Amino acid sequence: MKYIFVTGGVMSSVGKGVSTASIGRILQSRGYRVQLVKCDMYVNIDAGTMRPTEHGEVFVGEDGIEADQDLGNYERFTDITTTRDNYITTGQVYQSIIERERNLEFAGANVEVVPDIPNEIIRRINIAARKGKAEVVIIEIGGTVGEYQNILFLEAIRMMKLKHPEDVALVLVSYLPIPKSVGEMKTKPTQYAARSLNAAGLQADFILCRAERPIDAPRRRKLAINCGLEEWAIISASDVESIYEIPINFERENLSDKLLKKLFLKPRERDLKNWQKLARRIRGAAEPLKIGIVGKYFGTGDFTLADSYISVIESIRHAAAALGRRPEITWLNSEAYEKDRRALKELDNFQGIIVPGGFGSRGIEGKIRAIQYAREKKIPYFGLCYGMQLAAVEFARNVCGLKDAHTTEINPKTRYPVIHLMPEQLKHLARKLYGATMRLGAYPAKLEKDSLVAKAYGVTRVSERHRHRYEFNNDYRARFEKKGMRFSGTSPDGELVEIIELKDHPFFVGVQFHPEFKSRPLAPHPLFLAFAKAASTKRQKD
Ligand code: GLN
């Protein structure tokens, strides 16, 4: 088994996850089976309890793991199906060590932070390694080197490298700023990052230089000398228009050859053709596809965190690419529609509207108004999870005449609880069990023949990933149906509503699940594709 560790230098959010995923893709393109693992430094057991504005999207795996959004990048780039084995947090590591200690499994020995914690990290990495008969495991360490929090993960790498020097490669993904006032690319912060690794007993084998521009020869030389590497191990990784160009760019630097050589693996034939075709299609798309996403998780101070909905955004991009369109995605703050209904007019500028998943009451009336607008003005609408539930609330209020209908998540006393808590969730909440207790992961659904969604999927049996506590209240099905709502997807026993759609509308679909987790650049999700198709035929006002 071979291991590639990816650590970050200088600052976060420079595309370490995408770089890790791209390394996975280029090794696959050389015929190697890979697994990818994300190590998060947080004491949280999983990402399910973390705020998306701080930590980014919660990505849900097939088995219901609520993971870091980088697992989404791994799935999109490499097509592997991630599960809880692909996600390690400090919390999980300590939890299992403490459990074993309580069970007397250490047989009286002192349980020590070193080596017991790094050993547990290594044990978990090897569990992932055995999955799918991987030949190479790529492990991304969250955060940046030099942070107090990830030192035990670095210690795990050090222990592994010591034992198997020929089987472990270490990649540092670093950032090289070009300060405006200077106009020159600076290498010093990266040199410090490489030294921080040295201080942890590690030497980077490769440095991926993330920067606005490609690194030039003098700076390459400088970095090589100061960080103790050969020049060929300094890899240029400048900004790209589409992240799907990155594997191709890495191969321009022959990164897969270099990694294989470092790990004493034989080079096999290279095949990146599909990927190259995709990149060309994305580059060539000129006609825009204007999609508005209405939600609340937008501002953190002066900055906008698109990360909260990264899978939704990528799914739109995949569908647009397949149609040869250039996606123009705009985030719309639903609270604006609460202050002033006239603000809704801006929705006319979009060819399609999405209300994505969410929780809580902030901005909710604005979302409901936006959905009403999309329904009445026949703007293609796609509701994901909360976006489906709120579409049901809107329909109840404005079409069925059930005044003040609501989801009991927001108004537990509503006269018309069209969305209510799933029975098993009552027990969880009564016991204050919040972590990993939602309806999570893959569940099957059956689709009604001749429905819009069955046509889009091309089948009547599907499996999709979920993350919710509330569901459609079946007491209201008949009333909704009478008014033109179709329950075109349900759980196989027919009990749980999975999909709603409207008849007299170009595209009005709400899904209780999260299709965005299964969309791939080379295989867009059928519902996103159908939505994008409907959107692309909507006439635009300029
Ligand atoms: N808040 C809703 C629920 O718990 C929707 C969840 C979501 O959108 N992921 O059911």
Side-chain angles (χ1 to χ4, degrees):
M1 182 65 62
K2 303 286 182 177
Y3 305 85
I4 299 173
F5 287 92
V6 181
T7 59
V10 179
M11 63 185 206
S12 63
S13 307
V14 297
K16 186 152 47 84
V18 170
S19 300
T20 306
S22 299
I23 290 174
R25 169 48 69 173
I26 59 174
L27 291 177
Q28 282 179 327
S29 79
R30 306 303 299 268
Y32 281 92
R33 285 187 305 276
V34 300
Q35 274 296 325
L36 292 97
V37 177
K38 173 75 192 263
C39 297
D40 247 346
M41 309 166 293
Y42 307 111
V43 183
N44 303 60
I45 298 293
D46 56 42
T49 53
M50 297 183 208
R51 199 175 301 122
T53 40
E54 262 170 59
H55 181 260
E57 170 186 276
V58 178
F59 186 81
V60 181
E62 283 289 297
D63 64 346
I65 178 70
E66 297 171 281
D68 182 84
Q69 62 177 33
D70 278 327
L71 269 72
N73 288 321
Y74 304 167
E75 292 210 6
R76 287 188 282 273
F77 278 79
T78 68
D79 239 346
I80 62 167
T81 301
T82 58
T83 61
R84 56 196 69 243
D85 298 335
N86 300 81
Y87 186 46
I88 304 176
T89 65
T90 298
Q92 293 168 20
V93 170
Y94 272 91
Q95 191 182 44
S96 54
I97 289 283
I98 292 169
E99 252 168 42
R100 277 162 56 201
E101 184 274 332
R102 292 290 81 187
N103 297 342
L104 261 185
E105 284 179 45
F106 288 90
N110 291 359
V111 184
E112 313 221 40
V113 170
V114 177
D116 292 309
I117 298 296
N119 273 338
E120 173 63 16
I121 294 170
I122 294 169
R123 189 184 73 82
R124 283 169 177 260
I125 289 171
N126 280 323
I127 292 175
R130 284 193 289 272
K131 238 173 71 167
K133 298 208 177 78
E135 294 161 287
V136 185
V137 203
I138 307 160
I139 307 108
E140 177 187 350
I141 311 292
T144 42
V145 296
E147 261 180 82
Y148 196 71
Q149 295 195 90
N150 62 19
I151 197 77
L152 291 169
F153 289 96
L154 300 185
E155 183 62 10
I157 307 176
R158 195 188 65 81
M159 285 162 61
M160 285 183 79
K161 241 189 159 177
L162 198 65
K163 234 179 164 171
H164 311 282
E166 297 184 349
D167 300 334
V168 177
L170 178 56
V171 177
L172 174 65
V173 180
S174 196
Y175 181 65
L176 290 94
I178 307 175
K180 271 219 175 69
S181 54
V182 193
E184 184 198 332
M185 184 186 283
K186 304 307 274 179
T187 63
K188 196 57 64 63
T190 298
Q191 295 180 36
Y192 285 129
R195 291 219 181 116
S196 294
L197 275 179
N198 294 157
L202 291 168
Q203 167 65 43
D205 296 306
F206 298 93
I207 299 181
L208 297 190
C209 302
R210 289 283 302 112
E212 270 169 44
R213 273 180 279 159
I215 188 166
D216 60 2
R219 264 151 278 264
R220 198 182 277 256
R221 219 171 298 132
K222 204 184 213 171
L223 263 190
I225 292 173
N226 284 292
C227 302
L229 287 91
E230 305 250 22
E231 273 179 47
W232 57 261
I234 307 287
I235 309 291
S236 182
S238 55
D239 287 353
V240 279
E241 194 120 325
S242 155
I243 53 170
Y244 301 114
E245 304 253 1
I246 293 171
I248 300 164
N249 273 1
F250 281 178
E251 283 307 69
R252 285 201 187 105
E253 303 261 320
N254 292 320
L255 183 58
S256 70
D257 271 334
K258 293 173 185 176
L259 283 165
L260 294 176
K261 190 161 169 233
K262 171 80 205 155
L263 292 169
F264 300 91
L265 290 171
K266 277 201 242 19
R268 298 176 190 158
E269 192 109 19
R270 188 193 321 255
D271 185 4
L272 258 181
K273 270 192 240 68
N274 282 346
W275 214 259
Q276 276 155 340
K277 232 197 273 164
L278 169 75
R280 265 200 303 276
R281 214 178 314 129
I282 294 174
R283 245 180 280 137
E287 210 181 324
L289 182 66
K290 296 183 181 170
I291 305 294
I293 304 181
V294 181
K296 74 160 183 187
Y297 291 141
F298 294 118
T300 51
D302 287 341
F303 300 95
T304 297
L305 270 178
D307 270 8
S308 311
Y309 291 120
I310 186 76
S311 291
V312 177
I313 291 165
E314 290 307 319
S315 301
I316 298 169
R317 290 188 178 145
H318 303 161
L323 299 176
R325 294 291 193 116
R326 183 171 50 77
E328 260 181 44
I329 301 164
T330 309
W331 299 294
L332 304 166
N333 186 350
S334 61
E335 281 153 276
Y337 310 139
E338 293 174 0
K339 288 190 201 105
D340 185 356
R341 256 184 200 275
R342 280 170 305 182
L344 286 163
K345 268 212 80 52
E346 69 174 344
L347 297 178
D348 291 333
N349 301 329
F350 298 95
Q351 294 163 282
I353 306 289
I354 288 181
V355 172
F359 295 85
S361 63
R362 189 158 62 83
I364 196 172
E365 289 301 325
K367 290 184 196 175
I368 293 171
R369 284 182 183 178
I371 296 168
Q372 179 182 8
Y373 197 88
R375 180 177 56 75
E376 290 175 350
K377 304 273 177 179
K378 307 248 189 268
I379 305 171
Y381 173 74
F382 196 15
L384 313 172
C385 204
Y386 217 16
M388 170 269 197
Q389 297 176 354
L390 298 180
V393 170
E394 189 280 317
F395 194 80
R397 288 183 188 175
N398 301 322
V399 181
C400 303
L402 306 175
K403 200 168 163 279
D404 298 327
H406 223 316
T407 160
T408 56
E409 177 173 353
I410 307 305
N411 179 6
K413 299 212 182 82
T414 170
R415 264 184 76 190
Y416 305 111
V418 286
I419 302 292
H420 65 171
L421 209 52
M422 289 182 282
E424 71 270 21
Q425 292 297 332
L426 277 167
K427 291 180 230 149
H428 293 320
L429 295 188
R431 294 176 57 207
K432 291 204 163 108
L433 295 176
Y434 295 110
T437 57
M438 283 187 240
R439 180 168 179 257
L440 290 168
Y443 286 92
K446 63 172 187 205
L447 312 181
E448 242 180 46
K449 256 194 246 132
D450 302 327
S451 60
L452 197 156
V453 289
K455 277 185 213 137
Y457 276 106
V459 290
T460 51
R461 269 270 173 177
V462 296
S463 167
E464 294 283 1
R465 298 185 197 168
H466 297 71
R467 182 171 189 255
H468 64 119
R469 287 190 205 283
Y470 294 82
E471 64 172 338
F472 186 85
N473 183 343
N474 288 333
D475 293 347
Y476 293 90
R477 271 206 215 180
R479 263 199 256 193
F480 271 54
E481 270 166 342
K482 225 181 279 157
K483 294 285 184 182
M485 179 71 82
R486 206 165 165 188
F487 297 93
S488 50
T490 62
S491 52
D493 63 5
E495 279 304 305
L496 199 135
V497 172
E498 291 279 13
I499 307 178
I500 60 175
E501 62 181 61
L502 277 185
K503 282 173 197 149
D504 299 317
H505 196 285
F507 189 99
F508 191 99
V509 173
V511 293
Q512 183 56 82
F513 46 85
H514 291 273
E516 67 268 26
F517 296 139
K518 288 181 74 172
S519 182
R520 303 285 174 264
L522 296 172
H525 191 285
L527 295 185
F528 273 95
L529 196 57
F531 166 67
K533 264 187 200 151
S536 66
T537 55
K538 177 182 174 274
R539 256 197 305 151
Q540 269 173 268
K541 278 201 292 191
D542 282 321

